[in-house]
Amino acid sequence: MSHLRRLLSIVLASLFYTLALGTGLWAQSKPRNYHPHLNSPRVKAKVDQLMRKLSTREKIELLAGYTGPGYPNGMFTHPFKQFGIPALKMSDASVGVRVWGPSTAYPASVALAATWNPALARREGRALGEDARARGVNIVLGPGMDIVREPQGGRNFEYLGEDPDLAGQMGAAWIEGLQSERVAACAKHYAGNEQEDNRSTINSIISRRALEEIYLPPFRDAVRKGHVMTMMCAYNRVNGEYSSDNPFLLTTMLRDHWHFKGLMMSDWGATHATLSALKAGLDLEMPNNAYFNAKKIEPLLASGKLSMATIDQHVRRLLRVMVAMHFNDRPQTDRSLPKNNPHSAAVALQVEREAVVLLKNQGGMLPLAADRLHRIVLVGPDVSPAITGGAGSSYTKPNIPPVSLLEAVRTAAGPGVQVTQIPYPYPLRSIRAWWMHRPPAGIQGPMFTAQDRQLIQSADVVIAGIGPREGEGWDRHFHMPAHQDQYLKTLASINPHVIAVLYAGANVAMSAWIHQVPALLDAWYPGENGNTAVAEILFGKLNPSGKLPDSFEKHWRDAPAYGHYPGHDDHVHFAEGIFVGYRWFDSKHIAPRYPFGFGLSYTQFHIHGIAVQASGQGRRRQVVVTAEITNTGERAGGDVVQLYVRPPHTSGVVRTYQQLRGFQRVELNPGQTRTVSFHLHWRDFAYYNTGAHGWRVPAGRYGLAVGDSSRNIAGAPSVQMQ
Ligand code: BGC
């Protein structure tokens, strides 16, 4: 396609997306809205009927993944056509339906978290549900709901940030959206999969309190609020036992406490045993039947070590999902839906529009005024081609040629501005090679040629697309690879008007260059078309409104997991306990570079009129916090009002300084005011008391801090509890 035609198609597509979203057109055209019930009399009767027909051998075959002619890729359960039981077709996952050909590539999940917009998460879930229906997929293997514990985690980009409430709310909304399209979601990786290094053997040692307060709540929300149909356990061990073999996780918490009625599957190749896994509560071995097969199971049944009731229970859970979702009595492929769906692309773009976080904007360097610019130079490894997502099982080959930063800047700058790219001179090795070869070898010769120097000097601004290489299977380094630190520093010494655009799933080391670089945007991974949003923000067509879902530490030595990561001898001790992310920085009085919940804007917001109303006593106590927010600046824009509960000092009780307990995104025109309200219950003030095995609220006055970042608090009234 010629350059001009390509430009035209991008402009037209943007116009379509804006119109379609603005008018709510795409939302009205939705054909389905389905909330499945796993326990209805209809489901029970049909499952009972099928159970009577299945032989023991057939039931065993339903306990594991199936590969055969017509069922490739290790992505199916066993079909029994004679009983009307289809093979359930699966696909990865959280950022696109990736297994069955090209598909809409959405921004990284951490970008979705940075929108702090559950309604948008629901919309993305629905759009991805449509993508799945267009391909006949029954189960989408997402969302990823582990916690961002340390910036190096290879799959942080697939998760929803460091805070359990934010991750839980965003994940649950996404699940609801996906399942409303009659596609089952799969909350993963349950649990303790907070790193990729040694993921298949590492033992995550996590205190009961940290599990209850930090690592399990997102999964609980997936079950209780999102009504998730399926879950996937993790590769790693948790407190000594493999997740797939862990009765505490798979039965005590999941079934007894949260009353999960759906299906628990293993991660791919993460099953390690037959008897103990079946007894612990694992329903489905994926992708094959290495452990859950007749040869291994029949003798266990014959010897009485395993009961038929246990097998039946596991089979029922799979059938229940199948019947509840009507996978057995209608085609899953919806041929009315296009595989390259403009609605999906529109949602992908909207997510990035709300996700980009403006971290630094010294001297109001941004937004750029295209009519006052002559020359823009783009540098860095991530300028073109676009880095749409992280590597591994979530990586989605986009439907369209992805929009690069170069292309998006060209479009936004218009024909009057000369836009040039200087190719990055150092190879970014594959993740594994980078991991194996760190630290990188020294630099030979000067970083820039005389010609490049001249070009950089003559530019009005230099935009640097930078980032690490991240992916499943390996953690990355805190420092960006391939000399990027030094590159940025040298660049800024040639031309101080540098804008850095970071493409990453979490924080990176910035100390070497951040003081010389006046503007920094975090674009996460933008998916197939998100660079359009990045350029809209650079040129002020859009106000940046994303907020950090993780704290960005200045130095790795400041981080909560420092000294306790990545573990040794196959053990990683989560020694920071409940002090994860901002809970650590706040409580230990360490200033992060950019705090949790932070993000700059081109306009200004004022939060005022904070009021508290409380009623009821004890466990019935209800607290309503209201606040007003006014856009006092000159542009329309979004902000996120955040509510943090600050517990009192109670002797003998360890609490973190504050905990996020509510958030609300608002979009405001200049001068406009909105009232936001947060409804809190007893449990929002509670901590997990390990000795008593339960939640407790010590008596006292609790602060209710309202602001638009964890460190920009407009007011903190208090309320008496008990
Ligand atoms: C990943 C899962 C993924 C599965 C199937 C595993 O390696 O950990 O997240 O869903 O593969 O592709």
Side-chain angles (χ1 to χ4, degrees):
M1 209 190 294
S2 78
H3 184 55
L4 210 66
R5 277 177 57 199
R6 176 117 183 78
L7 276 184
L8 198 70
S9 73
I10 292 169
V11 172
L12 283 177
S14 298
L15 202 70
F16 171 82
Y17 302 154
T18 314
L19 279 176
L21 280 169
T23 57
L25 209 156
W26 78 273
Q28 282 160 24
S29 69
K30 305 300 294 175
R32 294 169 295 269
N33 197 359
Y34 181 64
H35 295 286
H37 295 287
L38 286 162
N39 250 348
S40 73
R42 177 190 76 82
V43 172
K44 197 173 170 320
K46 181 68 190 173
V47 170
D48 284 347
Q49 187 198 43
L50 289 169
M51 288 298 285
R52 283 194 292 273
K53 290 185 185 160
L54 289 162
S55 68
T56 301
R57 182 57 75 88
E58 287 157 350
K59 286 177 182 171
I60 292 171
E61 282 174 333
L62 279 171
L63 299 177
Y66 175 76
T67 303
Y71 303 104
N73 295 344
M75 284 281 156
F76 290 93
T77 57
H78 202 297
F80 287 103
K81 287 195 177 144
Q82 64 275 35
F83 309 129
I85 298 176
L88 301 185
K89 182 177 178 179
M90 306 187 191
S91 176
D92 286 305
S94 318
V95 299
V97 182
R98 60 100 51 181
V99 177
W100 307 100
S103 193
T104 301
Y106 297 84
S109 305
V110 71
L112 185 63
T115 72
W116 295 60
N117 186 348
L120 187 56
R122 198 170 290 117
R123 235 151 78 186
E124 186 186 289
R126 286 180 81 166
L128 216 132
E130 286 195 340
D131 301 341
R133 291 296 304 271
R135 293 159 178 81
V137 168
N138 302 95
I139 304 175
V140 166
L141 303 171
M145 303 191 83
D146 296 279
I147 289 289
V148 174
R149 177 179 178 240
E150 70 289 307
Q152 294 91 331
R155 295 183 91 171
N156 282 340
F157 70 92
E158 276 189 72
Y159 300 143
L160 296 159
E162 73 182 22
D163 180 79
D165 269 27
L166 178 63
Q169 281 205 46
M170 297 299 287
W174 190 93
I175 291 164
E176 262 177 25
L178 183 95
Q179 294 191 166
S180 73
E181 295 297 325
R182 299 192 187 194
V183 178
C186 179
K188 70 185 186 185
H189 310 89
Y190 182 67
N193 191 180
E194 268 66 29
Q195 69 184 55
E196 288 297 287
D197 272 8
N198 305 323
R199 68 172 176 174
S200 47
T201 50
I202 194 103
N203 180 20
S204 298
I205 302 167
I206 314 175
S207 71
R208 177 69 184 260
R209 184 163 173 201
L211 281 170
E212 294 272 1
E213 292 190 21
I214 308 287
Y215 296 101
L216 300 187
F219 294 102
R220 185 187 60 213
D221 284 351
V223 172
R224 293 271 191 83
K225 295 184 182 152
H227 307 287
V228 74
M229 291 275 130
T230 83
M231 287 181 58
M232 185 191 293
C233 57
Y235 281 117
N236 50 280
R237 291 177 283 160
V238 175
N239 295 331
E241 275 160 317
Y242 277 107
S243 297
S244 55
D245 230 65
N246 196 312
F248 169 75
L249 290 177
L250 302 189
T251 297
T252 310
M253 294 312 293
L254 189 64
R255 306 284 175 183
D256 300 346
H257 287 202
W258 307 339
H259 308 291
F260 178 59
K261 296 277 180 285
L263 172 82
M264 171 58 75
M265 68 179 83
S266 74
D267 200 341
W268 269 228
T271 309
H272 295 273
T274 307
L275 183 62
S276 54
L278 284 167
K279 282 192 151 177
L282 182 64
D283 302 315
L284 179 69
E285 178 185 7
M286 289 302 291
N288 53 32
N289 65 352
Y291 290 92
F292 289 8
N293 59 49
K295 220 168 132 199
K296 289 201 158 82
I297 290 175
E298 281 171 358
L300 292 169
L301 287 171
S303 67
K305 284 187 182 147
L306 186 66
S307 72
M308 201 54 215
T310 303
I311 299 291
D312 282 355
Q313 192 181 39
H314 294 307
V315 176
R316 274 178 184 279
R317 289 173 183 158
L318 180 133
L319 295 178
R320 230 185 256 153
V321 170
M322 179 190 81
V323 176
M325 299 296 280
H326 291 275
F327 291 153
N328 58 324
D329 55 23
R330 59 169 174 82
Q332 183 68 357
T333 308
D334 183 339
R335 297 196 193 284
S336 72
L337 291 165
K339 285 193 175 165
N340 186 356
N341 192 338
H343 294 154
S344 301
V347 173
L349 179 57
Q350 186 60 24
V351 170
E352 187 67 6
R353 281 182 172 146
E354 297 185 25
V356 173
V357 184
L358 179 61
L359 290 171
K360 185 172 180 187
N361 192 14
Q362 200 173 299
M365 185 178 181
L366 291 173
L368 299 171
D371 54 356
R372 277 190 260 132
L373 299 176
H374 303 287
R375 179 175 290 164
I376 300 174
V377 171
L378 284 108
V379 299
D382 293 355
V383 165
S384 181
I387 306 290
T388 56
S393 64
S394 72
Y395 179 76
T396 304
K397 187 168 188 288
N399 266 327
I400 57 160
V403 180
S404 69
L405 183 61
L406 177 67
E407 214 175 317
V409 166
R410 272 204 180 119
T411 310
V417 185
Q418 192 194 88
V419 178
T420 318
Q421 181 188 10
I422 298 177
Y424 196 65
Y426 306 107
L428 272 99
R429 290 177 292 217
S430 74
I431 304 154
R432 176 164 214 157
W434 156 238
W435 178 246
M436 307 292 275
H437 290 96
R438 71 195 166 122
I443 303 162
Q444 308 289 316
M447 291 197 117
F448 297 97
T449 64
Q451 206 185 355
D452 288 348
R453 267 181 176 271
Q454 221 172 30
L455 195 61
I456 292 164
Q457 257 161 2
S458 71
D460 298 299
V461 290
V462 183
I463 303 175
I466 53 164
R469 289 292 175 271
E470 298 175 329
E472 183 179 334
W474 296 274
D475 288 352
R476 47 98 163 165
H477 204 272
F478 187 49
H479 287 266
M480 289 187 291
H483 316 296
Q484 291 180 76
D485 286 356
Q486 202 174 329
Y487 188 85
L488 280 168
K489 212 176 145 171
T490 316
L491 184 72
S493 70
I494 304 171
N495 184 336
H497 306 292
V498 177
I499 301 159
V501 180
L502 175 65
Y503 296 94
N507 190 20
V508 296
M510 298 177 184
S511 300
W513 48 268
I514 191 67
H515 301 296
Q516 280 94 59
V517 168
L520 171 66
L521 270 100
D522 196 334
W524 312 104
Y525 293 111
E528 64 185 28
N529 53 12
N531 274 318
T532 299
V534 175
E536 286 170 347
I537 288 170
L538 287 171
F539 287 89
K541 291 185 184 154
L542 186 70
N543 178 63
S545 60
K547 306 285 164 193
L548 285 185
D550 318 324
S551 309
F552 277 20
E553 52 275 89
K554 285 185 186 151
H555 312 285
W556 167 227
R557 64 171 183 271
D558 293 345
Y562 178 76
H564 314 290
Y565 161 86
H568 46 79
D569 299 334
D570 260 345
H571 285 65
V572 55
H573 188 195
F574 289 33
E576 70 280 12
I578 55 170
F579 292 92
V580 175
Y582 65 90
R583 288 165 162 84
W584 168 268
F585 294 101
D586 293 344
S587 307
K588 306 289 171 191
H589 307 290
I590 300 171
R593 190 177 309 283
Y594 301 115
F596 176 77
F598 169 79
L600 296 170
S601 160
Y602 296 150
T603 185
Q604 287 89 45
F605 295 96
H606 176 51
I607 296 173
H608 51 105
I610 304 168
V612 181
Q613 273 189 330
S615 61
Q617 287 306 322
R619 288 189 177 242
R620 297 226 174 76
R621 190 108 169 116
Q622 297 208 6
V623 179
V624 181
V625 183
T626 49
E628 312 228 310
I629 175 163
T630 305
N631 181 347
T632 54
E634 278 157 22
R635 291 164 175 268
D639 200 15
V640 178
V641 186
Q642 303 160 35
L643 170 72
Y644 296 86
V645 168
R646 293 178 172 169
H649 294 288
T650 310
S651 82
V653 180
V654 174
R655 301 291 303 256
T656 63
Y657 174 64
Q658 58 181 0
Q659 297 129 40
L660 180 74
R661 283 295 179 255
F663 55 90
Q664 203 172 322
R665 173 179 260 274
V666 292
E667 302 290 336
L668 295 173
N669 287 321
Q672 202 185 347
T673 298
R674 275 253 323 259
T675 305
V676 296
S677 55
F678 305 100
H679 295 255
L680 303 184
H681 303 278
W682 179 86
R683 181 66 179 265
D684 292 310
F685 298 85
Y687 77 100
Y688 187 79
N689 183 315
T690 311
H693 294 296
W695 296 85
R696 296 286 182 272
V697 177
R701 285 202 81 78
Y702 286 71
L704 298 160
V706 181
D708 63 359
S709 110
S710 61
R711 296 213 168 194
N712 187 31
I713 298 301
S718 64
V719 69
Q720 181 70 30
M721 294 299 288
Q722 326 262 281

